[in-house]
Amino acid sequence: MRSELYIDGQWVKPIKGGTCDVVNPATEEVIQTIAAATAEDVDVAVKAARRAFDKDGWPKLSGAQRAQYLRAIASGIRARQAEIARLEVLDNGKPLPEADWDIADAAGCFDFYAGLAEQRDNNPEETIALADDRFTSKAVKEPVGVAGAIIPWNYPLLMAAWKVAPALAAGCTIVLKPAELTSLTALELAAIADEAGLPPGVLNILTGSGSVAGQAIIDHKGVDKLAFTGSGPVGSKIMAAAARDIKRVSLELGGKSPFVVFEDADIDEAVEWVMFGIFWNQGQVCSATSRVLVQEAIYERFLARLIEETNRIRIGNGLEEGVLLGPLVSKRQYEQVLAAIESARNAGATVACGGNRPEGFDKGYYLRPTVLTDVPLDCDAWVEEIFGPVVCVRPFKMEEEAIELANDSRFGLAAAVMSRDDVRAERVAAAFRAGIVWINCSQPTFTEAPWGGYKESGIGRELGRWGLDNYLETKQITKYVSEDPWGWYIKPEAAE
């Protein structure tokens, strides 16, 4: 496992020699010590990225040339997929099949943006029709420059791919800071990029704390664009800091996403999708459908089946076969989720199942998956993102009520609806104020489709061609083509 910083194509120790521990959330044991970058290290990395962009020619390569590097990185990830997935489990705690899926998705992300990089060669500019034929005009898209990217701990390598792949495809250079809790696979990404021959300075990966290394990236005047995935409060601070230098910003923040289940839905299918929507990755998913609204006619039957199936989920170390729910990522996260459950209980909510440590687990940040009912609408458990395996369930009578309750949130990342009536499902989907909407499912994510939210859930979109646009600027180039050098100007004698 790598432990140094990757700057300018080299593995280096931090200038001030700081380190931080990596803890396995399943055992609470320290499994690695990694470097802790400071502002001085960030400055070296940004200057390397700046040189690679301004002088060394990375943005001047054709899309096809950059695509070769991206595909080499994808191949490198696939060649080590089993090893990297296991490392992800040790670092994050998620079950191995989930980690394996994530690593495959990360490789696919690099392949996808390799394709978009090549497509840009075929469409380098857009001709603009002008009312005045004495001029021609075109719009061209160019890389924004040096990107500073900060990613969360819930999908470590996949979130790195979501930032790095489109940035490199666009022709940007990048300084990436992974979450201090889960940095190991990002360091492996650096090793893979190095093996792929990526030019020095194009990709720099610095481990360390958000308050030190992350803040230094945000504040550095050599960074042209900030890309962040994480909590709303941190996103707000990043946006405020970026305003000082008018940096470009894309933010993918939190959510409190609703899932509306109508009375005509198949109860077993609905329960399965609701569980997938909240218990996947231990509920540590920004788009988790954590507010479930069920029509009154099926509410009691739905709830009974949900509790039954939730109690059957196998909990354990993510490396054990058959485990569906691993530990939460850290002691702090574990304590925060427990506190949220206790706060809901004190506010009058009922803990229908779960809500505590499972029997037989003396070590590790394990929590039984939790179903809350009777949650007051002003309770934090209903309003705020818990980021754990906790779902709030309440009944509704009519469609209008469900839509109103679903949209009554300052977040707007995702929403889901389940009904056999396609017309109603499409109508409700259109009524949701959310950037990602699922019909008869929850959480499927595709590299080709845009990802991002309304309201306080963020700014901009990742994935698909929209993710590439995050790292591009649009330039207008207008040319005067008339033979008359004064054709655009009212001559003095004409004015007389």
Side-chain angles (χ1 to χ4, degrees):
M1 291 186 285
R2 303 282 179 174
S3 61
E4 296 176 302
L5 309 174
Y6 184 72
I7 300 175
D8 205 9
Q10 301 290 325
W11 292 99
V12 297
K13 295 185 181 298
I15 292 171
K16 294 186 177 178
T19 62
C20 55
D21 292 335
V22 178
V23 176
N24 181 345
T27 64
E28 301 183 38
E29 296 174 347
V30 175
I31 58 172
Q32 177 78 351
T33 299
I34 58 175
T38 62
E40 290 83 354
D41 302 299
V42 169
D43 184 57
V44 175
V46 172
K47 287 178 178 175
R50 191 81 262 163
R51 186 205 67 242
F53 184 84
D54 294 332
K55 297 180 180 179
D56 293 353
W58 176 254
K60 293 183 173 61
L61 295 181
S62 68
Q65 289 173 312
R66 289 195 292 271
Q68 291 179 349
Y69 290 107
L70 291 168
R71 289 203 171 93
I73 293 172
S75 296
I77 293 172
R78 290 194 181 97
R80 298 176 52 195
Q81 182 170 331
E83 170 196 349
I84 296 172
R86 186 176 184 278
L87 191 59
E88 198 87 304
V89 175
L90 293 173
D91 207 10
N92 170 274
K94 67 178 63 188
L96 183 58
E98 293 186 26
D100 193 58
W101 194 343
D102 292 349
I103 306 311
D105 275 357
C109 187
F110 279 95
D111 272 338
F112 175 79
Y113 281 105
L116 287 194
E118 290 171 332
Q119 289 177 27
R120 288 200 66 221
D121 287 343
N122 299 325
N123 300 284
E125 59 190 44
E126 176 186 348
T127 301
I128 302 169
L130 301 177
D132 191 332
D133 61 9
R134 293 172 296 176
F135 299 85
T136 62
S137 188
K138 61 184 179 180
V140 297
K141 290 187 175 181
E142 299 178 342
V144 69
V146 174
I150 301 172
I151 58 174
W153 43 256
N154 55 343
Y155 291 92
L157 186 64
L158 186 57
M159 291 295 99
W162 281 23
K163 301 287 192 291
V164 173
L168 298 189
C172 293
T173 57
I174 189 167
V175 178
L176 174 75
K177 196 204 82 66
E180 60 189 288
L181 293 174
T182 55
S183 297
L184 299 183
T185 53
L187 293 173
E188 295 308 310
L189 174 62
I192 290 168
D194 193 66
E195 292 164 5
L198 195 68
V202 171
L203 171 64
N204 307 271
I205 297 182
L206 288 77
T207 53
S209 70
S211 61
V212 178
Q215 190 64 49
I217 292 172
I218 294 164
D219 292 337
H220 203 292
K221 291 187 179 298
V223 173
D224 299 300
K225 186 245 169 23
L226 295 169
F228 172 75
T229 298
S231 72
V234 176
S236 179
K237 292 179 182 178
I238 289 174
M239 192 171 179
R244 293 195 298 265
D245 299 320
I246 320 297
K247 286 187 174 76
R248 304 296 182 263
V249 177
S250 56
L251 304 172
E252 201 270 274
L253 307 176
K256 193 67 179 177
S257 302
F259 194 144
V260 176
V261 181
F262 284 99
E263 61 187 1
D264 63 344
D266 180 283
I267 290 179
D268 288 339
E269 289 181 7
V271 166
E272 183 176 353
W273 279 114
V274 165
M275 292 174 65
F276 190 82
I278 187 58
F279 298 141
W280 186 263
N281 201 33
Q282 293 70 251
Q284 298 167 142
V285 182
C286 57
S287 60
T289 37
S290 56
R291 293 184 295 138
V292 177
L293 298 156
V294 184
Q295 202 156 22
E296 279 186 346
I298 63 168
Y299 177 76
E300 295 298 337
R301 285 181 293 151
F302 172 92
L303 183 61
R305 289 288 292 124
L306 177 62
I307 293 170
E308 179 184 358
E309 292 301 315
T310 297
N311 283 329
R312 294 176 57 186
I313 293 174
R314 183 177 173 187
I315 305 169
N317 188 313
L319 294 176
E320 295 177 8
E321 188 174 352
V323 164
L324 296 176
L325 195 81
L328 294 173
V329 73
S330 68
K331 180 179 180 181
R332 179 183 178 187
Q333 187 65 18
Y334 173 72
E335 291 175 345
Q336 286 180 343
V337 175
L338 279 177
I341 294 169
E342 186 60 26
S343 176
R345 195 196 313 263
N346 292 337
T350 299
V351 180
C353 69
N356 54 9
R357 177 182 283 273
E359 293 183 7
F361 290 87
D362 298 326
K363 285 284 187 180
Y365 309 121
Y366 295 99
L367 177 68
R368 289 175 60 207
T370 304
V371 177
L372 299 178
T373 60
D374 309 313
V375 182
L377 291 176
D378 60 352
C379 175
D380 281 353
W382 184 262
V383 175
E384 301 295 338
E385 186 175 45
I386 295 176
F387 224 63
V390 182
V391 62
C392 301
V393 187
R394 70 180 297 118
F396 71 90
K397 293 181 180 180
M398 304 298 291
E399 177 181 319
E400 294 77 10
E401 177 191 3
I403 293 171
E404 183 178 353
L405 288 169
N407 287 336
D408 186 19
S409 172
R410 70 177 192 277
F411 298 110
L413 183 54
V417 56
M418 197 148 196
S419 173
R420 290 175 177 172
D421 183 339
D422 286 343
V423 173
R424 174 164 60 185
E426 292 283 354
R427 183 173 63 241
V428 172
F432 284 142
R433 295 288 296 161
I436 306 152
V437 176
W438 295 295
I439 295 176
N440 294 332
C441 58
S442 178
Q443 306 307 312
T445 304
F446 301 96
T447 306
E448 301 88 350
W451 183 273
Y454 290 13
K455 299 185 276 188
E456 291 186 29
S457 287
I459 294 175
R461 294 294 181 270
E462 293 191 295
L463 299 184
R465 61 177 176 81
W466 302 268
L468 187 68
D469 286 343
N470 274 335
Y471 299 92
L472 295 170
E473 291 275 27
T474 301
K475 175 187 287 184
Q476 176 212 139
I477 301 177
T478 297
K479 181 179 181 181
Y480 183 63
V481 294
S482 172
E483 294 181 1
D484 182 356
W486 295 95
W488 61 276
Y489 185 75
I490 300 176
K491 299 178 182 178
E493 58 269 25
E496 294 175 1

